[in-house]
Amino acid sequence: MELNDQLKVWIEDINQYLKDLRYGSYPEELYEPIGYMMTLGGKRLRPLLTLLGYQLYHDDIQSVMPAAAAVEVFHNFTLMHDDIMDKAPLRRGQETVHTKWDDNVAILSGDVMLVRAYDLLMNIKDEYLKRAVASFNKTGAEVCEGQQIDMNFESRDDVTVEEYIDMIRRKTAVLLGFALELGAMLGGAHRHEQKLLYRFGVNMGIGFQLKDDLLDVYADQAKFGKQVGGDIISNKKTFLLIEAQKRATGEHKATLDKWLAATEFDAAEKVAAVTAVYDALGIRELTEAKVEEYFTAADDAFEVLKAPDEKKALVKNFADWLMARDK
């Protein structure tokens, strides 16, 4: 499924705005990594959601571009620091900042990005500024909570589906919800409609992450852009693994236990073996149903929203595209 042409234009506008954004110049070692990080690409989902939330109520999209950029700069700040914690060598197929420079540079550069995000938020009209910053602060704290909970999961073998959903809600989904809510807020939407859009964004965000978990195992390598089976190789607690551990018995349980305990292994062999267990247990279909559940919940929140049909159609196109993606 293709994105609407208008949305493609707005993504180009976002990319141009981010390209023209300046963070500072001296010392070069502090600011060069920020420019590098921001040019690595990405889908620009979050700033686009801010524009989508705003366009439901007003047409002057360029007026909220600084707020949309603030959401994207904050998102990339979290990625820069997450990469340090995960010891990740690659981000979007390129060297991570801490690999290309070092951990200390990545920490400091990330800190500047957070400051710049607040600076961009200061462009918001006074009547909305206090509420917008308060919501941004709450969201930022939840993202950090989600990252900590995710790290806690690494040393646990008893993570439940409910705990996992709560983790991805905090780590991933709340920022999508905030992005939409922020756009609606700046568009002068009623508080009730802001909350409907927040709920829509959060449910869509949970569905988005569950779909990402699914694609990590079942995507076409040529389209996916990163290693298929990376979550299996690293024993990452995902919806798929948690459900498989809960349902596996006999030979399937023995296979899972063997590969989860292995410290030296052939990566391709491990991915194939664990995927075979997922296939036997119907984990792919189970995950697809869970994705559908959260996208349906998002639709339910969105359907009661009062806005012109042609403006709602743009948001619906985005949600449908997100659900149908294969990379």
Side-chain angles (χ1 to χ4, degrees):
M1 179 179 177
E2 285 288 318
L3 271 180
N4 179 284
D5 287 342
Q6 179 62 76
L7 301 190
K8 292 179 181 178
V9 170
W10 285 346
I11 290 173
E12 290 177 6
D13 290 345
I14 290 166
N15 280 321
Q16 187 60 53
Y17 188 91
L18 293 170
K19 183 179 178 181
D20 294 340
L21 204 57
R22 296 293 174 262
Y23 301 88
S25 58
Y26 179 79
E28 182 180 342
E29 294 82 1
L30 178 65
Y31 292 107
E32 186 182 356
I34 301 174
Y36 171 79
M37 182 71 179
M38 295 304 296
T39 58
L40 289 182
K43 298 181 181 69
R44 307 306 189 201
L45 306 180
R46 294 151 189 85
L48 181 59
L49 283 171
T50 297
L51 300 190
L52 281 168
Y54 183 80
Q55 65 86 35
L56 288 167
Y57 306 95
H58 287 289
D59 294 324
D60 56 327
I61 291 299
Q62 292 300 320
S63 68
V64 292
M65 197 63 75
V71 177
E72 184 68 1
V73 171
F74 171 76
H75 172 59
N76 279 271
F77 145 70
T78 66
L79 296 182
M80 192 183 288
H81 280 190
D82 285 359
D83 285 342
I84 302 169
M85 289 180 269
D86 295 341
K87 297 179 174 59
L90 298 176
R91 165 67 61 184
R92 297 165 185 153
Q94 302 295 319
E95 282 185 294
T96 48
V97 169
H98 73 95
T99 303
K100 189 174 177 65
W101 283 271
D102 59 45
D103 287 3
N104 291 339
V105 166
I107 291 168
L108 280 175
S109 295
D111 290 346
V112 172
M113 293 174 76
L114 177 58
V115 172
R116 190 71 173 98
Y118 276 107
D119 189 43
L120 288 163
L121 288 175
M122 294 305 293
N123 289 279
I124 291 174
K125 292 178 181 178
D126 289 347
E127 60 186 301
Y128 304 123
L129 182 59
K130 185 175 180 180
R131 214 153 29 94
V133 171
S135 184
F136 177 75
N137 289 345
K138 178 177 180 292
T139 301
E142 287 183 300
V143 171
C144 293
E145 291 164 1
Q147 173 67 4
Q148 182 62 60
I149 294 168
D150 194 19
M151 291 191 297
N152 292 349
F153 286 172
E154 293 175 9
S155 59
R156 288 182 52 192
D157 296 321
D158 59 347
V159 178
T160 65
V161 167
E162 293 73 23
E163 287 178 305
Y164 180 72
I165 296 294
D166 178 63
M167 183 275 289
I168 61 175
R169 181 188 67 81
R170 296 171 194 260
K171 184 174 177 177
T172 300
V174 295
L175 189 55
L176 274 68
F178 168 75
L180 264 172
E181 181 186 33
L182 178 64
M185 182 191 303
L186 301 184
H190 189 278
R191 294 277 188 103
H192 173 65
E193 294 193 335
Q194 292 175 36
K195 292 304 175 189
L196 280 175
L197 281 166
Y198 179 81
R199 192 186 316 156
F200 168 71
V202 168
N203 279 301
M204 186 169 56
I206 294 172
F208 168 79
Q209 184 57 57
L210 289 169
K211 184 69 178 281
D212 209 53
D213 291 352
L214 188 68
L215 289 173
D216 191 88
V217 178
Y218 290 105
D220 180 343
Q221 179 67 70
K223 296 180 179 179
F224 195 43
K226 59 182 179 179
Q227 182 180 28
V228 171
D231 289 345
I232 291 175
I233 293 167
S234 63
N235 290 346
K236 187 172 178 60
K237 304 295 192 306
T238 65
F239 178 83
L240 287 83
L241 177 58
I242 293 167
E243 283 290 356
Q245 287 183 295
K246 183 169 70 175
R247 295 164 184 271
T249 58
E251 183 182 340
H252 294 140
K253 184 178 186 306
T255 299
L256 269 184
D257 289 346
K258 168 195 166 184
W259 287 109
L260 289 172
T263 56
E264 294 184 10
F265 52 83
D266 177 82
E269 186 182 358
K270 178 175 180 178
V271 171
V274 174
T275 301
V277 173
Y278 289 173
D279 291 343
L281 298 175
I283 299 300
R284 180 175 189 167
E285 293 76 14
L286 192 67
T287 309
E288 288 172 340
K290 202 69 172 176
V291 171
E292 176 73 27
E293 176 187 328
Y294 279 98
F295 274 100
T296 298
D299 278 344
D300 290 345
F302 187 64
E303 284 304 316
V304 299
L305 194 73
K306 291 179 173 60
D309 288 343
E310 66 273 14
K311 291 178 176 286
K312 290 182 71 172
L314 285 174
V315 183
K316 189 67 167 60
N317 172 260
F318 174 86
D320 290 345
W321 169 80
L322 202 63
M323 184 174 181
R325 72 193 177 97
D326 58 3
K327 59 182 179 179

